[in-house]
Amino acid sequence: MSGNTFGKLFTVTTFGESHGPALGAIVDGCPPGLPLTEADLQDDLNRRRPGTSRHTTQRREPDAVRILSGVFEGVTTGTPIGLLIENTDQRSKDYSAIKDRFRPAHADYTYHHKYGVRDYRGGGRSSARETAMRVAAGAIAKKYLATQGIVVRGYMSQLGPIAIDFKSWDGVNDNAFFCPDPDKVAELEAFMDQLRRDQDSVGARISVVAEGVPVGLGEPIFDRLDAELAHGLMSINAVKGVEIGDGFAAVTQRGSEHRDEMTPQGFQSNHAGGVLGGISSGQPLVAHLALKPTSSITQPGRSIDRHGNPVEVITKGRHDPCVGIRATPIAEAMMALTLIDHLLRHRAQNADVRVDTPRLT
Amino acid sequence: MSGNTFGKLFTVTTFGESHGPALGAIVDGCPPGLPLTEADLQDDLNRRRPGTSRHTTQRREPDAVRILSGVFEGVTTGTPIGLLIENTDQRSKDYSAIKDRFRPAHADYTYHHKYGVRDYRGGGRSSARETAMRVAAGAIAKKYLATQGIVVRGYMSQLGPIAIDFKSWDGVNDNAFFCPDPDKVAELEAFMDQLRRDQDSVGARISVVAEGVPVGLGEPIFDRLDAELAHGLMSINAVKGVEIGDGFAAVTQRGSEHRDEMTPQGFQSNHAGGVLGGISSGQPLVAHLALKPTSSITQPGRSIDRHGNPVEVITKGRHDPCVGIRATPIAEAMMALTLIDHLLRHRAQNADVRVDTPRLT
Amino acid sequence: MSGNTFGKLFTVTTFGESHGPALGAIVDGCPPGLPLTEADLQDDLNRRRPGTSRHTTQRREPDAVRILSGVFEGVTTGTPIGLLIENTDQRSKDYSAIKDRFRPAHADYTYHHKYGVRDYRGGGRSSARETAMRVAAGAIAKKYLATQGIVVRGYMSQLGPIAIDFKSWDGVNDNAFFCPDPDKVAELEAFMDQLRRDQDSVGARISVVAEGVPVGLGEPIFDRLDAELAHGLMSINAVKGVEIGDGFAAVTQRGSEHRDEMTPQGFQSNHAGGVLGGISSGQPLVAHLALKPTSSITQPGRSIDRHGNPVEVITKGRHDPCVGIRATPIAEAMMALTLIDHLLRHRAQNADVRVDTPRLT
Amino acid sequence: MSGNTFGKLFTVTTFGESHGPALGAIVDGCPPGLPLTEADLQDDLNRRRPGTSRHTTQRREPDAVRILSGVFEGVTTGTPIGLLIENTDQRSKDYSAIKDRFRPAHADYTYHHKYGVRDYRGGGRSSARETAMRVAAGAIAKKYLATQGIVVRGYMSQLGPIAIDFKSWDGVNDNAFFCPDPDKVAELEAFMDQLRRDQDSVGARISVVAEGVPVGLGEPIFDRLDAELAHGLMSINAVKGVEIGDGFAAVTQRGSEHRDEMTPQGFQSNHAGGVLGGISSGQPLVAHLALKPTSSITQPGRSIDRHGNPVEVITKGRHDPCVGIRATPIAEAMMALTLIDHLLRHRAQNADVRVDTPRLT
């Protein structure tokens, strides 16, 4: 209720501050009998982990995750899975410069007014460091979904002004940007190098796709699959927009163009992005998200302190010049968490349903 | 859990099919002592109601709402508010043409597979008729929010290819489109008239704004104000995209441009759309949504029947050529419902908080 | 969240005041494909209905229920089921005697302080009249459970000082008390007749049993089957105690006596009442509840008015001298609602589980 | 949803198995600004801790709790509080004797069928060891409640056949039984010594009282304060019955006796136990619970193994001969968690309520 839980049947509740002793999560509702090890989680954590290229923050966290419960003799038991990551790279730096002043476009000002007290070290709870636990929990969801034939993958589709066409999944994990077009990587690197020289940051667009989704997931009216997916994706730090399928392009489309016709051979297009009436259609589930440019830049910005006095803020420290670069695994995690939750919810109510109509894809 | 409830503390649960005997809702958690009459709800219902111009469906429903509980001697009592709208314009038409076939881009195919059985008359539960109860419930939320100085309003910002600049709230409710620029109305009407002649439909973009929102609403991490707003807006029929503040424009922005600087005189811009770190900043809360073109058009479309055979579907009946036209009151309702829920959630945890820092807007 | 919803996957949300225009409920999460008519609900409503014997209130309500949605062509569709009962016997009596004074042992005083405003006519929302909707919703749950081989039944096990041994289910519904021993009925009637002459009321003990419950229902740790059952039963008006299996008798038992031994032929006893570790064991689920004597009696009682002045209250009107008499169908409803919710929850997480161990009963 | 969370606004989610690496919990929704240290939690943990007298299990766990988040510079920040207790006394004993057989009256049989797989070491998740985290979380709730003038305390009111009258709170924490009558302690010790010689176990009755509860807490209809308290108390391992106020004694009471009259000087009795209509009355909140005798005794018992074969089970190891002895702090925790949740829920909806009627106690 206080906002730190995602999902209703497969739930993830997280805790932890950027510079506190540890991050943790409880994953509840995982089906029993799933083989699971810490290594299964570590793969995705490493994809999100900072410090692996010159284009992300140089903070170095191993993000080594421990499973503290819910797994016995290598398989899940159906009881809650406790996860823990110790924070190791908490530099004992001097925070007096930001303790009483609000960094522009950060959550400092709003946390201060909401709670009256805040952990100002590195943004505390509002830091994107929190997303590590989402990725760990998402890896569990992904592993279970894979047993059901569902694969969730993402890629960067735009970096600032550079649009990136999807070419292939093959090389996506082989570059720092999750770029699906190997020929574009050099251009992205050059852009980022110039951006750092400009002491500025930039936004990005990420795309996520789930393949193998069965028809029938999603709970109208309010808990439609697309609505809960939008919820999950918009809850990622810095996200300002979410599209399902054609998204905002649908504004200028005509009905004769947008509607996805069906033949016995399958759907003839996927403008809808895999959802009809809030329920998965069996086509690939497709979403796009917009991330704002990092707020932490070294150019001075105007702000106020906690007494209301004008101040100038320069954000030092180790920051990502484009938070979108590391966002792909997080977006995958939120899509996976949304899907597994709806898979379980669908089973609960509709276990008796038998239909002999062929299923299209 | 089955998807028909919105909100956690101020909850709305709806029921009803397009051609069933009635639509209804239960609004739970409304603060007691709020003056409330059926007329308060009827105003917004009339704004959403079809058949008031030639640009919307000619189905004629008075949408007269009854309050069945929770209000005594003119004020809310804190107990659940039961709402009921009888369906009166249920033409006893012949549905055999669509009973066993799936209209393209509709929820027919997905409902069929999810539930095994569906009320095929007029789309049943998947009809946009369901949104009448959202508007009724939203009117209660709006009335309470108004007592707290919060005003929620929306307008159409694009109709198909025609972008509409916001000029003024004054005339928004005086035209069929909720167009905020009186000089554009004639162009919109001409466009719609041509669209009907083309037997086609088109998408639209709606914008919603809440003014007077206090700083502090929203529950990080997962239940951020913007994430739950995205959830609510994406749950509206036909919505394919949601933006907060600058939305997808943030992809190409630089950090030095996007960040909203603060001075003792207030925020210097509102690229964020009134949310920082998932918590309201006190600036106007701004969201935009994309609606797809109506799927029901009279041009024949390819589809299959429930046995998997190819069929051709022509949607007859009374349909909106642009579902976006009547979406503004619905979007307002979802924003109002999101805000009141977060207002109550904030009070629950943070009643003790006292901060002497000045509040900016 | 505001308390008018029961269940998490099969949810019932109710509204309505004793003397308002109507009572209603939304039942969400019912599996699709269940044959259902209003007559299915009416049977249990008639069992709870007042005015059918001289031992209950003479208020006469037909309690005729309408199904407004969620059922199409005789079967449930998986969408929310709207239920409505119009209040017809709202005597336009004079309530000035109780408008500003708090009847002892009623909720008048607490509602007044909680909400600041209350519908004082007949107790408003706090009236046991609200339980009609529970019984209607419970009848849906019962019907579905029956398709799974689960039968929920209750009986009166004590009326004031008269303990009633369980003899047989046969005649339970053939007397006004749900007494399972036909030879006891005359004694109960004589007791009630004297009680009315004494102008007093008395408590009762009700027992509820579910047979055919599969092993495995219940969600440790906090949502154990017995804990949620206790929640449901304790939420019934006037209930002051709940026992599972041997209940308070277990305090004086020894472990060697209480533990239910197992052999290949089955459990050798059922002290546990069908639950082990919060999960159903496959044995009959057994619960008992204590109901307090009706607070509304014609003997004068001391109280205060809303200004804090001392007053004397005499409760006139039509009241049950023993609220326990009509409580059996309500208790059955709450047990059925608890069971169906856990049946769906179990399916959600554990659909994959296969065990070759024989199941005992 | 999977049962490991208690509360709706002040939530506690726990994880951990008896013999796994650690127990943990996330406490979400705690108001910010509350001074809190690990020592605040340790006091109650020590009261529950085993091995402090000869009358409880000799397993020795320091139960040293760490706060991993949500507290900064000594006060709560409003973000989730992560708690961790490492398991240190996990004897590497041989579990082959119980690995494939189901101990009578334990959860072995039901976990096996529900999940298909279980951590059999020491009962795994079903062990009462899990209650350590409830006590830790309850200590946070208690500390906040104390700032509101609410004090939650419990005592043993019966041990097997020995009823214990409440004499005074003074010495309750000075004996191993939480006995409120110092003169009874010797009798209790003698009884327990004989019980151990008998190689048997026994049940107990615990009473819990909250003083200083304001009028108005509780959410009718289903989430009444007494119903949610019953839920919480019944969720404690081994609890078989819950009473509010007079409980089952109300069955034989008459209305003229049970109803608590009010005068300007206050309530004249407290048969109700502090709740009217599901809402706190301002009187002390009183509950009683029945705990069954420990199932783990060294007398052989009949059971089956996972293949359905008959086996004889003798439970060795370190067990409490009366689980009720250590249950008092756990019961206090569940009452405190129920109260704080309802305190926050009440604030959410009823912040505007102003009533000038005097409040009684």
Side-chain angles (χ1 to χ4, degrees):
Chain A
M1 187 58 48
S2 289
N4 296 288
T5 298
F6 189 76
K8 293 192 175 175
L9 287 183
F10 185 100
T11 60
V12 183
T13 307
T14 73
F15 70 81
E17 277 81 36
S18 171
H19 286 64
L23 303 175
I26 302 177
V27 175
D28 201 7
C30 184
L34 178 72
L36 192 72
T37 67
E38 287 161 355
D40 291 321
L41 283 62
Q42 203 61 52
D43 281 352
D44 269 344
L45 282 168
N46 291 346
R47 293 172 70 218
R48 192 211 73 98
R49 189 156 57 89
T52 57
S53 86
R54 70 178 184 275
H55 307 299
T56 59
T57 170
Q58 295 308 299
R59 178 173 173 165
R60 297 199 177 274
E61 284 285 0
D63 281 353
V65 68
R66 289 173 64 202
I67 296 178
L68 296 178
S69 66
V71 176
F72 182 61
E73 297 182 341
V75 298
T76 58
T77 60
T79 60
I81 302 170
L83 303 176
L84 197 75
I85 295 176
E86 309 268 352
N87 283 329
T88 57
D89 187 14
Q90 313 155 43
R91 291 194 191 169
S92 56
K93 66 180 249 193
D94 179 9
Y95 287 99
S96 58
I98 60 164
K99 180 179 175 185
D100 288 330
R101 50 183 63 188
F102 309 124
R103 294 168 296 163
H106 276 276
D108 301 347
Y109 175 79
T110 53
Y111 269 66
H112 175 76
H113 277 287
K114 183 175 188 66
Y115 299 114
V117 55
R118 68 192 169 90
D119 180 347
Y120 46 76
R121 300 168 303 168
R125 181 69 178 151
S126 72
S127 164
R129 176 138 186 74
E130 169 272 335
T131 58
M133 293 319 303
R134 305 187 186 207
V135 169
I140 301 175
K142 278 182 179 178
K143 187 152 194 206
Y144 184 77
L145 291 173
T147 69
Q148 311 294 306
I150 303 171
V151 177
V152 178
R153 292 180 290 195
Y155 59 90
M156 177 179 279
S157 46
Q158 188 164 344
L159 176 70
I162 308 170
I164 306 165
D165 288 335
F166 178 81
K167 293 291 173 61
S168 157
W169 291 113
D170 286 349
V172 166
N173 290 314
D174 300 336
N175 63 79
F177 304 94
F178 301 96
C179 171
D181 178 358
D183 299 339
K184 279 274 185 180
V185 174
E187 184 180 350
L188 300 177
E189 295 194 322
F191 180 83
M192 289 303 296
D193 289 340
Q194 181 60 45
L195 189 68
R196 270 197 307 281
R197 284 190 289 272
D198 295 345
Q199 299 191 316
D200 217 334
S201 61
V202 80
R205 184 175 185 265
I206 303 296
S207 300
V208 217
V209 180
E211 290 164 299
V213 179
V215 58
L217 307 191
E219 302 295 328
I221 298 297
F222 296 108
D223 295 350
R224 291 162 196 255
L225 183 60
D226 41 0
E228 297 233 320
L229 181 57
H231 186 150
L233 295 174
M234 193 69 91
S235 79
I236 300 172
N237 302 45
V239 172
K240 302 302 292 182
V242 174
E243 296 180 311
I244 307 296
D246 284 0
F248 279 87
V251 170
T252 53
Q253 291 172 349
R254 294 208 164 195
S256 53
E257 171 190 8
H258 182 87
R259 63 177 174 179
D260 301 309
E261 292 183 308
M262 294 173 272
T263 75
Q265 287 70 46
F267 286 95
Q268 299 304 300
S269 53
N270 189 13
H271 297 286
V275 187
L276 291 172
I279 301 172
S280 62
S281 66
Q283 288 199 285
L285 179 66
V286 180
H288 312 283
L289 43 157
L291 290 106
K292 70 176 184 181
T294 313
S295 305
S296 301
I297 54 177
T298 48
Q299 295 182 36
R302 285 175 294 166
S303 188
I304 59 167
D305 67 15
R306 62 175 296 170
H307 308 293
N309 303 314
V311 294
E312 188 170 80
V313 174
I314 298 175
T315 308
K316 292 186 176 160
R318 303 157 292 171
H319 297 283
D320 287 282
C322 173
V323 287
I325 291 180
R326 288 162 54 206
T328 294
I330 309 167
E332 293 172 2
M334 296 315 298
M335 185 180 265
L337 291 170
T338 303
L339 279 168
I340 196 170
D341 195 51
H342 277 282
L343 184 67
L344 302 191
R345 288 166 77 174
H346 179 67
R347 285 179 181 171
Q349 188 183 11
N350 299 315
D352 308 323
V353 173
R354 299 288 177 275
V355 174
D356 58 4
T357 305
R359 303 196 167 200
L360 308 177
T361 50
Chain B
M1 188 59 45
S2 288
N4 297 287
T5 298
F6 188 77
K8 294 194 173 171
L9 286 183
F10 185 101
T11 61
V12 183
T13 308
T14 73
F15 69 81
E17 276 82 37
S18 171
H19 287 63
L23 303 174
I26 302 178
V27 176
D28 202 6
C30 184
L34 179 72
L36 193 72
T37 68
E38 288 161 354
D40 291 321
L41 283 62
Q42 204 61 52
D43 280 353
D44 269 345
L45 283 167
N46 291 346
R47 293 171 69 217
R48 192 210 74 99
R49 189 157 55 88
T52 57
S53 84
R54 71 179 183 276
H55 306 300
T56 60
T57 170
Q58 295 307 299
R59 177 171 175 167
R60 296 199 178 274
E61 285 285 0
D63 281 354
V65 68
R66 288 173 64 202
I67 297 177
L68 296 178
S69 66
V71 177
F72 183 61
E73 298 182 340
V75 299
T76 58
T77 60
T79 60
I81 302 171
L83 302 177
L84 197 74
I85 294 176
E86 308 268 352
N87 284 329
T88 58
D89 187 13
Q90 313 155 44
R91 290 195 190 170
S92 56
K93 68 179 248 193
D94 179 8
Y95 287 98
S96 58
I98 61 165
K99 180 180 175 185
D100 288 330
R101 49 184 62 188
F102 309 125
R103 295 167 296 163
H106 276 277
D108 301 347
Y109 174 80
T110 53
Y111 269 67
H112 174 77
H113 278 286
K114 182 175 188 66
Y115 300 114
V117 55
R118 68 191 169 91
D119 180 347
Y120 46 76
R121 301 167 304 167
R125 181 70 176 150
S126 72
S127 164
R129 176 138 187 73
E130 168 271 336
T131 57
M133 293 318 304
R134 305 187 186 207
V135 170
I140 300 175
K142 278 182 181 177
K143 187 148 193 208
Y144 184 77
L145 291 173
T147 68
Q148 311 294 307
I150 302 171
V151 177
V152 178
R153 292 179 291 194
Y155 60 90
M156 177 179 279
S157 47
Q158 187 164 346
L159 176 70
I162 308 171
I164 304 166
D165 288 336
F166 179 80
K167 293 291 174 61
S168 157
W169 291 113
D170 286 349
V172 166
N173 289 313
D174 299 337
N175 63 80
F177 304 93
F178 301 95
C179 172
D181 178 357
D183 299 339
K184 278 274 186 181
V185 173
E187 184 180 350
L188 300 177
E189 294 194 323
F191 179 83
M192 290 303 297
D193 289 339
Q194 182 59 43
L195 189 69
R196 270 197 306 282
R197 284 190 291 270
D198 295 345
Q199 299 191 317
D200 218 333
S201 62
V202 80
R205 183 173 186 266
I206 304 296
S207 300
V208 218
V209 180
E211 290 163 299
V213 179
V215 58
L217 307 190
E219 301 296 327
I221 296 297
F222 296 108
D223 295 351
R224 291 162 196 254
L225 183 60
D226 40 1
E228 298 233 318
L229 181 57
H231 186 152
L233 295 174
M234 193 69 92
S235 79
I236 300 173
N237 302 47
V239 171
K240 301 303 290 181
V242 174
E243 295 180 313
I244 307 295
D246 284 0
F248 279 87
V251 170
T252 53
Q253 291 172 351
R254 295 208 162 193
S256 52
E257 169 190 7
H258 181 88
R259 64 176 172 179
D260 302 308
E261 292 183 308
M262 294 174 271
T263 74
Q265 287 70 46
F267 285 95
Q268 299 303 300
S269 54
N270 189 12
H271 296 285
V275 187
L276 291 173
I279 301 172
S280 62
S281 67
Q283 287 199 284
L285 180 65
V286 180
H288 311 284
L289 43 158
L291 290 106
K292 71 176 185 180
T294 313
S295 305
S296 302
I297 55 176
T298 49
Q299 295 182 37
R302 287 175 294 167
S303 188
I304 59 168
D305 66 16
R306 62 174 295 167
H307 308 294
N309 302 315
V311 296
E312 188 170 79
V313 174
I314 299 176
T315 307
K316 293 186 176 160
R318 305 158 291 171
H319 297 283
D320 288 283
C322 173
V323 288
I325 291 179
R326 288 163 53 208
T328 294
I330 309 167
E332 291 172 2
M334 296 315 297
M335 184 180 267
L337 291 169
T338 303
L339 278 169
I340 196 170
D341 194 51
H342 277 282
L343 184 66
L344 301 191
R345 289 165 78 175
H346 179 67
R347 284 178 183 173
Q349 189 183 11
N350 299 314
D352 307 324
V353 173
R354 300 286 177 275
V355 175
D356 58 3
T357 304
R359 303 196 167 201
L360 306 177
T361 51
Chain C
M1 188 57 47
S2 289
N4 296 288
T5 298
F6 189 77
K8 294 193 173 173
L9 287 184
F10 185 100
T11 60
V12 182
T13 308
T14 73
F15 70 82
E17 277 81 36
S18 171
H19 287 64
L23 303 174
I26 302 177
V27 176
D28 202 7
C30 185
L34 178 73
L36 193 72
T37 68
E38 288 160 354
D40 291 321
L41 284 61
Q42 203 61 52
D43 281 352
D44 269 344
L45 283 167
N46 291 346
R47 292 172 70 219
R48 192 211 73 100
R49 188 157 57 87
T52 57
S53 85
R54 71 179 184 276
H55 306 300
T56 59
T57 169
Q58 295 307 300
R59 178 172 173 165
R60 295 197 177 277
E61 285 284 0
D63 281 354
V65 68
R66 291 173 63 202
I67 295 177
L68 298 178
S69 66
V71 176
F72 182 61
E73 297 182 341
V75 298
T76 57
T77 59
T79 61
I81 302 171
L83 303 177
L84 197 75
I85 294 176
E86 307 268 352
N87 284 330
T88 58
D89 187 12
Q90 314 156 43
R91 291 194 190 171
S92 56
K93 67 179 247 192
D94 179 9
Y95 287 98
S96 58
I98 60 165
K99 181 180 174 186
D100 288 331
R101 49 183 62 187
F102 309 124
R103 294 168 296 163
H106 276 277
D108 301 348
Y109 174 79
T110 53
Y111 269 65
H112 175 76
H113 277 287
K114 182 175 187 67
Y115 299 114
V117 55
R118 68 192 170 90
D119 180 348
Y120 46 77
R121 301 168 303 167
R125 182 69 177 151
S126 72
S127 165
R129 178 141 185 73
E130 169 272 337
T131 58
M133 294 318 305
R134 305 187 186 205
V135 169
I140 301 174
K142 279 182 180 179
K143 188 153 194 205
Y144 184 78
L145 291 174
T147 69
Q148 310 295 305
I150 303 171
V151 176
V152 178
R153 292 180 290 196
Y155 60 89
M156 176 180 280
S157 45
Q158 187 164 343
L159 176 71
I162 308 171
I164 305 166
D165 287 337
F166 178 81
K167 293 292 175 59
S168 158
W169 290 113
D170 286 350
V172 166
N173 289 313
D174 300 336
N175 64 79
F177 304 94
F178 302 96
C179 171
D181 178 357
D183 299 339
K184 278 276 185 178
V185 174
E187 184 181 350
L188 300 177
E189 294 194 323
F191 179 84
M192 290 303 296
D193 289 339
Q194 181 60 43
L195 189 69
R196 271 198 306 282
R197 283 191 291 272
D198 295 345
Q199 300 191 317
D200 217 333
S201 61
V202 80
R205 184 174 184 265
I206 303 296
S207 300
V208 218
V209 180
E211 290 165 300
V213 179
V215 59
L217 307 190
E219 301 296 328
I221 297 299
F222 296 107
D223 295 351
R224 291 162 196 254
L225 183 60
D226 40 0
E228 298 232 319
L229 181 56
H231 186 151
L233 296 174
M234 193 68 91
S235 79
I236 300 173
N237 302 46
V239 172
K240 301 303 291 181
V242 174
E243 295 180 312
I244 307 296
D246 284 0
F248 279 87
V251 170
T252 53
Q253 291 172 349
R254 294 207 163 194
S256 53
E257 169 191 7
H258 181 88
R259 62 177 174 178
D260 301 309
E261 292 183 308
M262 295 174 271
T263 75
Q265 287 69 47
F267 285 96
Q268 299 304 299
S269 54
N270 189 12
H271 297 286
V275 188
L276 291 172
I279 301 172
S280 63
S281 66
Q283 287 199 285
L285 180 65
V286 180
H288 311 283
L289 44 158
L291 290 107
K292 70 175 184 181
T294 314
S295 306
S296 302
I297 54 177
T298 48
Q299 295 182 36
R302 287 174 294 167
S303 188
I304 58 166
D305 68 15
R306 63 175 296 169
H307 308 294
N309 302 314
V311 295
E312 188 170 79
V313 174
I314 298 175
T315 308
K316 293 185 175 160
R318 304 158 292 171
H319 297 283
D320 288 283
C322 173
V323 288
I325 291 180
R326 289 162 53 207
T328 294
I330 309 167
E332 291 171 4
M334 297 314 298
M335 186 181 265
L337 291 170
T338 303
L339 278 168
I340 196 170
D341 195 50
H342 277 282
L343 184 68
L344 302 190
R345 289 165 77 173
H346 180 67
R347 284 179 182 172
Q349 189 184 11
N350 298 315
D352 308 324
V353 173
R354 299 289 176 273
V355 175
D356 58 5
T357 304
R359 303 197 167 199
L360 307 178
T361 52
Chain D
M1 187 59 46
S2 289
N4 297 288
T5 298
F6 189 77
K8 295 194 172 171
L9 287 184
F10 185 100
T11 61
V12 182
T13 307
T14 72
F15 70 80
E17 277 81 37
S18 171
H19 287 64
L23 303 174
I26 302 178
V27 176
D28 201 7
C30 184
L34 178 71
L36 192 72
T37 68
E38 288 161 355
D40 291 321
L41 284 62
Q42 204 61 52
D43 280 352
D44 269 344
L45 283 167
N46 291 346
R47 292 172 69 218
R48 192 210 73 98
R49 189 157 57 87
T52 57
S53 84
R54 71 178 182 276
H55 306 299
T56 60
T57 170
Q58 296 308 300
R59 177 171 175 166
R60 298 198 177 275
E61 284 285 1
D63 282 353
V65 68
R66 288 173 64 202
I67 296 177
L68 297 178
S69 66
V71 176
F72 182 61
E73 298 183 340
V75 298
T76 59
T77 60
T79 60
I81 302 170
L83 302 177
L84 196 74
I85 294 177
E86 308 269 352
N87 284 330
T88 58
D89 187 13
Q90 314 156 44
R91 290 194 190 168
S92 55
K93 65 180 250 192
D94 179 9
Y95 288 98
S96 59
I98 60 165
K99 180 179 176 185
D100 288 330
R101 49 183 62 188
F102 309 125
R103 294 168 297 163
H106 276 276
D108 301 347
Y109 175 79
T110 53
Y111 269 66
H112 175 75
H113 277 288
K114 182 175 187 66
Y115 300 114
V117 57
R118 69 191 168 91
D119 180 348
Y120 46 77
R121 301 168 304 167
R125 181 69 177 151
S126 72
S127 164
R129 176 138 187 75
E130 169 271 335
T131 57
M133 294 317 304
R134 305 187 186 206
V135 169
I140 301 176
K142 278 181 181 179
K143 186 149 194 207
Y144 184 77
L145 291 173
T147 70
Q148 311 294 306
I150 303 171
V151 177
V152 179
R153 291 180 290 193
Y155 60 90
M156 176 179 280
S157 46
Q158 186 164 346
L159 175 71
I162 307 171
I164 305 166
D165 288 335
F166 178 81
K167 293 291 174 61
S168 157
W169 292 113
D170 285 350
V172 166
N173 289 313
D174 299 336
N175 64 80
F177 304 93
F178 301 96
C179 171
D181 179 356
D183 298 338
K184 279 275 186 181
V185 174
E187 184 180 350
L188 300 177
E189 294 194 323
F191 180 84
M192 290 303 296
D193 289 339
Q194 180 61 43
L195 190 69
R196 271 197 306 282
R197 283 190 290 271
D198 295 344
Q199 299 191 318
D200 216 335
S201 62
V202 80
R205 184 173 184 264
I206 303 296
S207 300
V208 217
V209 180
E211 290 164 299
V213 179
V215 58
L217 307 191
E219 302 295 327
I221 297 300
F222 296 108
D223 295 351
R224 291 162 197 254
L225 183 60
D226 40 1
E228 299 233 317
L229 181 57
H231 186 151
L233 295 175
M234 193 69 92
S235 79
I236 299 173
N237 303 46
V239 172
K240 301 304 290 181
V242 174
E243 295 181 313
I244 307 295
D246 284 0
F248 279 88
V251 171
T252 53
Q253 291 172 350
R254 295 209 161 192
S256 52
E257 171 191 6
H258 181 88
R259 64 178 173 178
D260 301 309
E261 292 183 307
M262 294 173 271
T263 74
Q265 287 69 46
F267 285 95
Q268 299 303 301
S269 54
N270 189 13
H271 296 286
V275 187
L276 291 172
I279 301 172
S280 62
S281 66
Q283 287 198 285
L285 180 65
V286 180
H288 311 284
L289 45 157
L291 290 107
K292 70 175 184 181
T294 312
S295 305
S296 301
I297 54 177
T298 48
Q299 296 182 36
R302 286 175 294 167
S303 188
I304 59 168
D305 67 14
R306 62 174 295 169
H307 308 295
N309 302 313
V311 295
E312 188 171 79
V313 174
I314 298 175
T315 307
K316 293 186 176 160
R318 303 158 291 171
H319 297 284
D320 287 283
C322 173
V323 287
I325 290 179
R326 288 163 53 207
T328 294
I330 309 167
E332 291 171 2
M334 296 314 298
M335 185 180 267
L337 291 170
T338 303
L339 278 169
I340 196 170
D341 195 51
H342 278 283
L343 184 68
L344 301 191
R345 289 165 77 174
H346 179 68
R347 284 179 184 171
Q349 188 183 12
N350 299 314
D352 307 324
V353 173
R354 298 289 176 274
V355 175
D356 58 5
T357 305
R359 305 197 165 197
L360 307 177
T361 51

